[in-house]
Amino acid sequence: MSIFDIIVLVVTKMKRSTVDRSKLSPMMVQYMNIKDKHEDCLIFFRLGDFYEMFFDDAIIASRELELTLTGKNAGLEERVPMCGVPHHAYASYIDTLIEKGYKVAIVEQLEDPKTTKGMVKRDVIQIVTKGTRIDNSLDSKANNYIANIYDFDYCKGISYTDVSTGEFYTELLEGTNEEIVREIVRHGFRELIVNERIDRELVNTLRTTYGILITIMDDLSDDEEYKYIYENIDDIRITTTVRHLLYYVLDTKKGDLHHLKRCELVKNSKILFFDNNTKRNLELVETIRSRDRQYSLLWLLDKCKTAMGSRYLKQQIESPLTDKKELERRYDFIEKLSCEFILRDDLRTALNDVYDLERLAGRISYGNLNARDMLQLKRSLNALPTIKSILEQLNYDKKIETLEEVANILEKSIYEDPPLTLKEGSLIKDGYNDELDELRKISSGSKDFLLDIERQEKERTGIKNLKVGFNKVFGYYIEVSKGQKDLVKDEYGYERRQTLANCERFITPLLKEKENIILGAEEKIINLEYKLFMDIREIVKRYITNIQEISKVVSEVDMLQSFSVVSDEEKFVRPKLIKEKSLKLIDCRHPVVEKVLSDKYVSNDIIMDKSTDILLITGPNMAGKSTYMRQTAITVIMAQIGCFVPCKSCEMPIFDKIFTRIGASDDLVSGESTFMIEMKEANYAISEATESSLILFDELGRGTATYDGMSLAQAILEYIHDKIKAKTMFSTHYHELTGLEKELKHLKNVHVSAVEEDGKITFLHKVKAGSIDKSYGIHVASLAHLPKDLIKRSKDILDVYEHKSVKQETFMQTSLFELNEAEVEHVEQVNEVEEKIKAINPLEMSPMDALNFLYELKKKMKE
């Protein structure tokens, strides 16, 4: 075993809880006291140029970050476990820990060690968690929400905020744990705060199944400074929910968060609702296979020029609108942009210069910004007059401020190429502050004076290689080589400061005097520049609300210009929103599939008029049934975010909810089968759907035995037809169900066509009226290149089954619902015929008797 292994073994055995604190060094006592207050965090403890971790924190960090675990003398007989990271590169290490589900408390020195006697005061300046990040590491095109659930027993309050942008939302929910989980997952929250009353089973599900970071606490914020966030809400349940989340956010960030906006009450009646399964099935913001943005609907529509526009677009796709007036307003502006395409191009050019104003406002308020952030703000503000002028020419109905006074201050004050940190100098331009200019003149003049000293000393002493130099230890000095040191005479007044192998270094009273002036001026310059920068930040902070209002308008404008560009490129058309419950999409396409398809896309009509509520879709696998269904839902969503749609023409009502069951996947974590998931999702749809909803069921019932699945599928179709009356698309391989078209007057059969020639199948991808009675499953299997002898054998077996089976009419509508008189009489007639058949013995009948009996049965059936 190596010495290193022995050290690791020893230090890893030492636990913080077993340490005799009376023996600890003062610094380690300080660490222990801070850690006691933040048991659930990894402490990044600032010591000089490093953030150090100790005890269990060090063991965890060394493992997760692949750091070397060492030990530190802390007053004990044994060294305590320790590891560390450089302070200038700590961000990437924190990113890794946060993504792995840890909280990190950053402990900084709160005093200048140079001016402090004894122990430097340290404390936590912020706690970094998944949901409270406010730095540049966030995905610029997505929100980063932290949320809470406050359990009131009879209902639950949910609020959520993006600390980086200031957005704040809240809602009340009544429902089961399953419905709460569905809502949390739909929003994609990464961190949750819950109160003690919460059901622990719900907490366990969110933690283990969905990997959400959860903190349990009951504290409520009473900070008067942040009361404005919820003072416009009267419902005490909602204000309690908001105060619960606000306490955690304020306690975690420990900084100025006045960029947080007034809380908005979420009204579900104003949005098109769908759950996370639907969002995933339709691949709205990421693909199912790779979970990547590319090839999703968001990827197709995002031609935004700003990060704010991209985030706003994502929000809209996840929560489309049901407000016809607002949708028509958006259509009008898209139409105007497409007509005025030159102005639109100018607008796009101007938007290209606008940075992320929302998150810049957050960093300005919180204080974790640098001079480059200020430059981004200045460049963004400089673009606003052009944007304002273009919007006025386009008659856009919202105004934006240009804040030219703020832009002028930043133009006069901030250097164009400042350093990353605020304490290196070179932040503030010449001419902005007289005192700073004077100090710079002193510093610059003194440096020129040093060059003069070097020239004069060479002439006075005759030492040609003499030079004036500087280092941080000895300050300014006169350096003479070893070979010429004998030329230094007493009358020169040189005082030996340092002897090196090849030279001697001296100082003089005059040089020392100038050193004090130069170094004093440079230190004053850095301190004054920092103070001036902070003053400028305070000026800009007064305009944070204005900046947020500007960003709100710019976000929408950016999204709408993106819709206009995509609509022109992809030949989308303006939807016509109608009151009638009629859906008419002519030559509809799936926009993403069409974009990535190398061949020409086959468009299809999707017509569900007032007399058609259900389309029963049959056709071979791979023929395009699922795509046909998905493009319907995607077209509806595009229309209800205010975008033009991929059709030749579009007439549609405004839908309130979308439910989908497309694709099969076992829930291995919960142990539920595909069929159980199918039934749960079907139950959710038929329980929550209304007459104004859209339902998409792809081969529902396939997860169980054939007759079970077919029976359930038929019963679900009948229930939707008779009870819900929602617009429904239902694909199936149960061809017997196509007979329901005769029984259910609002159901219509359609099929995706295919051509079979010489045993080979060609998919036409065209949807036609009527049904097919063949699934072409073996033909599809051959396309997958299964062995030829296997394919031949399957055809032989199929031939046996087809000749063995007698094709039956589809099942009549069962007594699941009440039968009318005609249906009752029909059932009685069928039963009477069956009884007659049961009563005869065919072996005792002559051929003539059999023919007469068959004639009587036929006559009875006609009656």
Side-chain angles (χ1 to χ4, degrees):
M1 182 179 288
S2 68
I3 294 295
F4 175 76
D5 291 331
I6 293 171
I7 292 172
V8 170
L9 184 61
V10 170
V11 296
T12 54
K13 286 182 178 179
M14 184 180 293
K15 302 295 182 184
R16 191 170 61 90
S17 58
T18 63
V19 167
D20 182 354
R21 297 196 179 194
S22 65
K23 296 180 180 179
L24 289 173
S25 64
M27 186 278 292
M28 190 54 69
V29 169
Q30 186 184 55
Y31 167 82
M32 297 288 263
N33 291 337
I34 293 172
K35 179 64 179 177
D36 288 343
K37 298 174 187 175
H38 302 91
E39 292 278 358
D40 61 340
C41 299
L42 299 178
I43 305 292
F44 270 41
F45 194 79
R46 180 70 177 269
L47 288 176
D49 290 336
F50 281 80
Y51 286 111
E52 304 289 5
M53 288 146 278
F54 304 104
F55 295 102
D56 290 345
D57 288 4
I59 295 168
I60 291 169
S62 65
R63 181 183 69 243
E64 300 290 6
L65 301 175
E66 299 181 4
L67 300 174
T68 299
L69 183 66
T70 62
K72 180 177 179 63
N73 294 320
L76 303 173
E77 293 179 6
E78 299 175 359
R79 289 155 62 87
V80 304
M82 181 184 82
C83 69
V85 299
H87 81 95
H88 63 273
Y90 78 98
S92 61
Y93 294 103
I94 284 185
D95 289 344
T96 301
L97 292 171
I98 296 306
E99 286 305 313
K100 292 187 174 187
Y102 296 99
K103 297 180 182 180
V104 177
I106 300 176
V107 176
E108 283 286 0
Q109 298 172 169
L110 304 182
E111 299 173 319
D112 188 346
K114 296 177 184 177
T115 60
T116 305
K117 293 181 179 180
M119 177 64 61
V120 176
K121 186 178 178 182
R122 295 181 178 87
D123 207 347
V124 174
I125 61 162
Q126 69 164 312
I127 298 170
V128 185
T129 68
K130 279 186 178 181
T132 60
R133 305 209 70 168
I134 202 168
D135 49 52
N136 289 320
S137 64
L138 293 170
D139 180 357
S140 64
K141 296 190 175 184
N143 283 101
N144 185 53
Y145 290 120
I146 180 172
N148 75 321
I149 305 174
Y150 200 93
D151 195 333
F152 294 100
D153 286 338
Y154 58 92
C155 75
K156 291 178 177 65
I158 293 178
S159 60
Y160 51 101
T161 182
D162 184 337
V163 182
S164 69
T165 65
E167 297 160 273
F168 215 127
Y169 305 95
T170 186
E171 60 182 313
L172 284 177
L173 290 178
E174 297 179 15
T176 63
N177 281 355
E178 198 171 54
E179 290 168 328
I180 299 299
V181 169
R182 190 177 283 116
E183 182 70 3
I184 296 300
V185 174
R186 182 174 78 88
H187 286 291
F189 299 140
R190 306 187 68 200
E191 183 176 3
L192 269 176
I193 318 304
V194 298
N195 60 335
E196 285 283 355
R197 192 181 291 169
I198 200 82
D199 183 350
R200 292 307 192 267
E201 186 179 332
L202 174 60
V203 171
N204 188 55
T205 299
L206 292 169
R207 269 183 179 153
T208 57
T209 306
Y210 298 100
I212 298 173
L213 178 65
I214 296 180
T215 301
I216 302 174
M217 50 158 264
D218 280 341
D219 301 280
L220 305 178
S221 172
D222 290 318
D223 194 324
E224 288 292 322
E225 287 191 31
Y226 293 94
K227 197 173 181 179
Y228 73 90
I229 292 173
Y230 54 85
E231 66 183 358
N232 59 320
I233 299 172
D234 296 326
D235 192 324
I236 193 170
R237 297 170 300 176
I238 294 177
T239 57
T240 299
T241 302
V242 173
R243 287 170 59 208
H244 182 236
L245 177 59
L246 192 56
Y247 180 91
Y248 180 83
V249 171
L250 294 176
D251 185 58
T252 299
K253 298 314 293 175
K254 302 182 186 298
D256 187 346
L257 296 176
H258 281 91
H259 68 287
L260 293 177
K261 302 174 187 176
R262 288 179 179 271
C263 193
E264 291 184 37
L265 188 60
V266 176
K267 296 180 180 178
N268 289 326
S269 61
K270 291 189 174 182
I271 63 171
L272 168 62
F273 175 83
F274 47 78
D275 66 6
N276 196 56
N277 288 324
T278 297
K279 184 168 79 171
R280 188 178 66 249
N281 289 336
L282 298 178
E283 299 186 307
L284 296 181
V285 297
E286 64 181 21
T287 57
I288 295 173
R289 177 170 294 183
S290 65
R291 305 204 64 168
D292 191 64
R293 196 171 183 271
Q294 190 171 17
Y295 304 131
S296 66
L297 179 63
L298 176 60
W299 164 78
L300 179 80
L301 296 182
D302 191 0
K303 301 285 185 182
C304 295
K305 289 294 185 177
T306 70
M308 300 176 293
S310 294
R311 280 200 304 274
Y312 188 67
L313 170 59
K314 184 173 183 286
Q315 289 175 7
Q316 295 300 297
I317 290 175
E318 293 174 330
S319 298
L321 306 178
T322 57
D323 184 340
K324 182 181 178 184
K325 184 177 179 182
E326 174 59 22
L327 292 174
E328 295 287 4
R329 173 187 161 272
R330 291 184 181 184
Y331 298 156
D332 288 344
F333 191 62
I334 294 169
E335 217 163 52
K336 183 77 173 176
L337 284 167
S338 295
C339 291
E340 301 286 352
F341 55 87
I342 295 176
L343 280 176
R344 183 186 68 191
D345 290 345
D346 292 341
L347 176 62
R348 284 171 60 80
T349 301
L351 286 170
N352 215 33
D353 292 329
V354 178
Y355 290 82
D356 197 339
L357 289 174
E358 277 184 322
R359 285 184 170 158
L360 281 173
R363 291 204 290 278
I364 290 166
S365 175
Y366 188 64
N368 64 329
L369 78 162
N370 57 35
R372 296 184 185 185
D373 291 327
M374 286 294 200
L375 286 180
Q376 289 184 0
L377 176 61
K378 182 190 79 172
R379 289 164 190 160
S380 301
L381 296 180
N382 286 340
L384 293 182
T386 302
I387 293 172
K388 181 180 180 181
S389 172
I390 293 169
L391 293 180
E392 287 172 350
Q393 293 178 67
L394 292 167
N395 296 319
Y396 185 63
D397 57 356
K398 294 181 181 179
K399 306 296 181 185
I400 61 170
E401 296 181 81
T402 54
L403 301 186
E404 290 176 30
E405 63 274 26
V406 179
N408 289 335
I409 290 171
L410 296 177
E411 179 63 45
K412 292 176 183 176
S413 61
I414 308 296
Y415 263 132
E416 293 301 327
D417 188 23
L420 284 171
T421 65
L422 300 179
K423 299 230 173 149
E424 294 179 42
S426 301
L427 294 175
I428 307 299
K429 286 181 177 179
D430 293 335
Y432 179 72
N433 179 270
D434 292 340
E435 183 183 354
L436 180 61
D437 291 345
E438 187 65 30
L439 285 169
R440 281 179 176 157
K441 194 178 292 182
I442 293 171
S443 176
S444 175
S446 297
K447 287 178 181 178
D448 291 339
F449 181 76
L450 289 172
L451 294 175
D452 288 339
I453 286 179
E454 184 177 297
R455 179 177 53 77
Q456 291 169 9
E457 289 300 311
K458 284 180 179 180
E459 291 174 359
R460 183 164 74 98
T461 64
I463 304 171
K464 300 301 182 185
N465 63 358
L466 175 150
K467 62 182 180 181
V468 176
F470 172 83
N471 67 34
K472 290 183 178 180
V473 178
F474 295 107
Y476 287 95
Y477 53 81
I478 295 172
E479 183 177 288
V480 179
S481 68
K482 282 280 189 185
Q484 293 190 311
K485 72 174 183 176
D486 293 337
L487 298 177
V488 177
K489 299 176 181 178
D490 292 340
E491 62 260 31
Y492 297 160
Y494 282 17
E495 181 183 334
R496 182 175 280 103
R497 175 54 62 93
Q498 187 181 19
T499 299
L500 299 177
N502 60 349
C503 67
E504 293 282 348
R505 288 176 178 174
F506 305 89
I507 61 169
T508 67
L510 182 61
L511 192 59
K512 196 65 181 173
E513 179 187 340
K514 287 299 178 182
E515 177 187 298
N516 292 334
I517 293 172
I518 294 168
L519 295 182
E522 288 181 352
E523 186 175 352
K524 286 178 181 177
I525 287 169
I526 289 173
N527 291 335
L528 181 56
E529 285 199 77
Y530 180 76
K531 179 184 179 300
L532 291 171
F533 183 84
M534 291 296 106
D535 292 343
I536 294 165
R537 193 197 79 179
E538 290 303 313
I539 294 171
V540 175
K541 274 179 73 172
R542 300 175 203 156
Y543 295 88
I544 281 179
T545 302
N546 309 71
I547 293 170
Q548 288 176 327
E549 287 300 317
I550 292 166
S551 68
K552 195 173 180 181
V553 176
V554 171
S555 298
E556 185 189 56
V557 168
D558 196 14
M559 180 186 75
L560 294 178
Q561 68 79 19
S562 178
F563 287 168
S564 173
V565 170
V566 175
S567 296
D568 286 355
E569 288 178 354
E570 308 301 331
K571 297 181 173 55
F572 295 166
V573 299
R574 177 172 179 157
K576 182 179 180 183
L577 303 177
I578 58 177
K579 291 183 179 180
E580 292 80 17
K581 190 189 165 190
S582 176
L583 181 67
K584 189 175 182 182
L585 311 179
I586 304 302
D587 282 346
C588 182
R589 296 112 56 198
H590 189 301
V592 180
V593 175
E594 181 184 35
K595 184 74 174 177
V596 300
L597 201 64
S598 55
D599 301 327
K600 185 179 179 183
Y601 188 88
V602 178
S603 59
N604 277 296
D605 295 346
I606 301 167
I607 299 174
M608 303 173 78
D609 55 23
K610 288 185 283 187
S611 63
T612 306
D613 287 337
I614 301 174
L615 288 183
L616 186 62
I617 309 164
T618 51
N621 286 318
M622 292 176 60
K625 299 191 298 296
S626 297
T627 301
Y628 181 67
M629 297 167 72
R630 283 190 175 99
Q631 71 191 45
T632 306
I634 285 175
T635 300
V636 167
I637 288 169
M638 288 175 66
Q640 290 190 219
I641 63 175
C643 184
F644 286 10
V645 295
C647 303
K648 191 172 182 180
S649 67
C650 166
E651 286 186 9
M652 56 170 274
I654 291 178
F655 290 91
D656 63 352
K657 300 173 185 176
I658 297 178
F659 302 92
T660 67
R661 173 58 195 174
I662 301 174
S665 58
D666 292 349
D667 187 345
L668 298 177
V669 175
S670 64
E672 292 183 343
S673 67
T674 299
F675 183 66
M676 175 58 79
I677 296 170
E678 277 188 350
M679 292 302 101
K680 281 190 172 184
E681 291 181 8
N683 177 61
Y684 176 61
I686 62 179
S687 300
E688 299 293 329
T690 71
E691 194 172 340
S692 299
S693 300
L694 176 65
I695 300 174
L696 308 178
F697 283 157
D698 188 18
E699 299 182 32
L700 198 66
R702 62 184 165 185
T704 188
T706 302
Y707 289 110
D708 279 353
M710 188 162 59
S711 303
L712 282 164
Q714 178 172 335
I716 288 169
L717 281 167
E718 290 171 357
Y719 189 93
I720 293 171
H721 181 276
D722 296 343
K723 301 292 184 182
I724 303 174
K725 301 178 172 59
K727 294 295 184 189
T728 303
M729 303 179 82
F730 196 109
S731 72
T732 186
H733 282 296
Y734 298 135
H735 302 293
E736 294 84 352
L737 294 179
T738 57
L740 287 173
E741 187 178 53
K742 300 173 185 176
E743 306 293 329
L744 305 177
K745 64 179 181 179
H746 298 301
L747 181 146
K748 181 180 177 181
N749 285 324
V750 295
H751 69 279
V752 186
S753 55
V755 174
E756 183 185 356
E757 290 183 279
D758 301 325
K760 294 183 178 180
I761 187 171
T762 302
F763 301 122
L764 302 180
H765 303 293
K766 198 70 180 173
V767 177
K768 299 180 179 179
S771 62
I772 60 170
D773 59 358
K774 194 171 183 179
S775 67
Y776 299 98
I778 292 175
H779 298 82
V780 174
S782 67
L783 291 177
H785 303 295
L786 267 67
K788 290 183 179 179
D789 53 346
L790 186 153
I791 297 294
K792 184 178 183 303
R793 175 59 181 156
S794 63
K795 287 179 179 178
D796 294 341
I797 295 170
L798 177 64
D799 188 58
V800 171
Y801 279 124
E802 285 181 338
H803 286 86
K804 190 176 180 181
S805 303
V806 178
K807 291 195 176 180
Q808 300 176 353
E809 289 290 323
T810 187
F811 304 119
M812 297 300 176
Q813 189 166 352
T814 67
S815 59
L816 176 62
F817 315 109
E818 293 185 9
L819 302 176
N820 57 38
E821 292 181 8
E823 289 170 330
V824 171
E825 184 179 341
H826 177 72
V827 170
E828 288 174 351
Q829 288 176 349
V830 171
N831 290 340
E832 187 179 339
V833 170
E834 287 179 354
E835 291 301 320
K836 284 182 176 291
I837 293 173
K838 288 177 182 178
I840 65 154
N841 184 348
L843 297 176
E844 296 176 356
M845 298 175 73
S846 67
M848 185 57 69
D849 290 336
L851 284 171
N852 288 334
F853 181 75
L854 186 59
Y855 176 80
E856 289 296 323
L857 284 182
K858 189 173 180 181
K859 182 179 177 183
K860 190 71 177 174
M861 291 299 292
K862 283 183 178 180
E863 292 173 355

